[in-house]
Amino acid sequence: DSETVRVVVETDRRPVGAKPQAGKSIVLNWGAPPVVALTYEQMQPFLTQSVVFSLDDVPIQPAFGPKPSATAGPVTLGSESAKTTLLRIPLKGKVSKPVQYARPEADILEVTIPGAEIMASPDFKSGLIKELSSETLGVLRIQLARPVGIEVSAHANELQLLLIRPDVGDGKIAGKVIVVDAGHGGHDSGARDPSKTTNEKDLNLAISRKLSAKLAAQGATVIMTRKTDVFIPLRERAEIANRNKADVFLSVHINSNRVANSSTGSIMFYHGKDPIGQLLADCLRVEAAKIGKLKMIGTWSDSRIYDTGFAVLRYSRMPGVLIETGFINNR
């Protein structure tokens, strides 16, 4: 329209610069010609000098982009106890897709309310939440004082986020009882590589021994469900953890699929809809992604594989994760 000017530069590289703000100037530098029908000579002015856009005293308003289909908020504190914190978010309008949440870091939760303009005060305070923000349309970012589980539910025209503190989560491994379960064993070889020379059971045991040594070095009491090539029934593996009142149960496995070399990466499984199991799996995924060379496929509920989930997680009475470290039929 008559009061809007839009400048479009076709380029195969994103310009580097700060977000435009009123009272600021921004310098955009391009380091290569765009992939359009311009010769290198025609691009010389752009390569040898900066193009400066002055934004002084100009109010910045988005001229295009998605428009909100709903409003969410303001975010308020419903209740807070030693165990849980409840956030309440009134909703007006319609959201285009189901509400989802993700954990990009152990102490950060991002709740996506598609298409909603979210009203979140950065001054929001609670004993658990450091900061609330919504810089992207439809995304509520929650900076936490410590990692927690989350349950999302809808009530009439309100979204509720229940944040749940783990019973054993003081951020320290020292003093914890951790059961490490090397999957398969004995007559149960587990998955095998295409040449049939490598058994999953053997690799699981080797990984579990290394893991147990690392945990013990950090001060944990570590119990391995098996230390040799023996078969242990699935329920007994969980009962070992239950009898020893373990704080955490970790079951180590290696994945496989029908087509060799077609899939790669790790999956962290938790049981059903257990929010603390999911928290543990998310934290493992986030940290493993920082050091591992394999990609992280994701954090999955075991109900994606079986309706009743995995037996070792179903029967254990503490937070547990079954780790598919990679694919045995991938080079």
Side-chain angles (χ1 to χ4, degrees):
D1 58 34
S2 61
E3 296 180 0
T4 301
V5 175
R6 180 183 303 171
V7 179
V8 179
V9 181
E10 300 275 356
T11 175
D12 63 346
R13 295 191 180 186
R14 295 181 59 186
V16 179
K19 291 183 178 179
Q21 297 178 357
K24 301 285 185 180
S25 294
I26 184 170
V27 179
L28 306 179
N29 295 297
W30 281 267
V35 286
V36 292
L38 293 178
T39 66
Y40 186 80
E41 288 73 19
Q42 289 173 315
M43 284 301 300
Q44 280 301 312
F46 297 96
L47 297 174
T48 58
Q49 58 183 316
S50 300
V51 182
V52 179
F53 298 90
S54 177
L55 302 176
D56 296 342
D57 303 320
V58 178
I60 303 301
Q61 295 179 350
F64 56 91
K67 294 183 179 180
S69 60
T71 58
V75 182
T76 60
L77 182 64
S79 62
E80 188 161 43
S81 67
K83 179 69 176 176
T84 62
T85 295
L86 177 65
L87 299 182
R88 304 178 68 173
I89 309 174
L91 287 175
K92 293 182 180 179
K94 295 182 178 180
V95 295
S96 55
K97 297 178 181 178
V99 175
Q100 297 179 325
Y101 59 89
R103 197 185 313 271
E105 292 289 342
D107 57 354
I108 294 175
L109 285 169
E110 289 185 347
V111 179
T112 301
I113 309 173
E117 181 180 8
I118 300 175
M119 293 174 278
S121 170
D123 298 325
F124 183 96
K125 297 295 181 184
S126 83
L128 181 63
I129 297 171
K130 288 184 176 180
E131 185 181 19
L132 293 179
S133 60
S134 181
E135 298 179 0
T136 304
L137 180 67
V139 179
L140 173 64
R141 186 178 175 90
I142 307 173
Q143 176 70 56
L144 299 158
R146 51 142 309 144
V148 297
I150 181 173
E151 289 183 354
V152 179
S153 58
H155 302 267
N157 295 321
E158 179 180 85
L159 187 69
Q160 294 188 2
L161 310 179
L162 184 65
L163 307 181
I164 307 169
R165 296 167 179 80
D167 291 332
V168 298
D170 60 2
K172 299 182 185 299
I173 292 177
K176 301 294 189 297
V177 177
I178 301 177
V179 168
V180 176
D181 172 44
H184 305 281
H187 67 265
D188 179 10
S189 66
R192 305 184 76 188
D193 74 312
S195 66
K196 308 298 183 186
T197 59
T198 304
N199 295 321
E200 179 191 353
K201 66 176 183 177
D202 300 322
L203 296 180
N204 290 342
L205 183 57
I207 294 170
S208 296
R209 284 173 174 165
K210 288 180 176 290
L211 173 60
S212 297
K214 291 278 189 180
L215 293 171
Q218 294 292 321
T221 298
V222 183
I223 300 169
M224 295 184 66
T225 57
R226 68 180 182 95
K227 295 184 178 180
T228 59
D229 184 18
V230 296
F231 174 77
I232 301 175
L234 295 177
R235 182 153 191 168
E236 175 58 19
R237 295 169 187 261
E239 291 301 334
I240 290 173
N242 295 337
R243 288 195 298 270
N244 287 279
K245 296 181 171 57
D247 297 303
V248 171
F249 178 84
L250 301 175
S251 188
V252 178
H253 288 257
I254 301 177
N255 220 333
S256 183
N257 62 352
R258 293 180 179 179
V259 183
N261 300 308
S262 62
S263 295
T264 184
S266 303
I267 306 174
M268 306 294 178
F269 282 100
Y270 63 95
H271 181 56
K273 297 181 179 180
D274 176 25
I276 304 304
Q278 182 182 18
L279 168 63
L280 176 61
D282 274 338
C283 289
L284 292 175
R285 171 186 54 79
V286 168
E287 295 305 317
K290 296 177 182 178
I291 62 171
K293 295 182 181 179
L294 290 179
K295 73 175 184 180
M296 286 291 125
I297 295 177
T299 302
W300 290 7
S301 168
D302 58 1
S303 61
R304 290 181 62 163
I305 309 301
Y306 301 113
D307 290 341
T308 57
F310 298 138
V312 291
L313 299 182
R314 183 170 71 249
Y315 292 126
S316 56
R317 295 195 291 266
M318 69 290 302
V321 174
L322 187 146
I323 306 161
E324 293 282 8
T325 54
F327 284 78
I328 200 170
N329 62 338
N330 187 296
R331 284 190 291 268

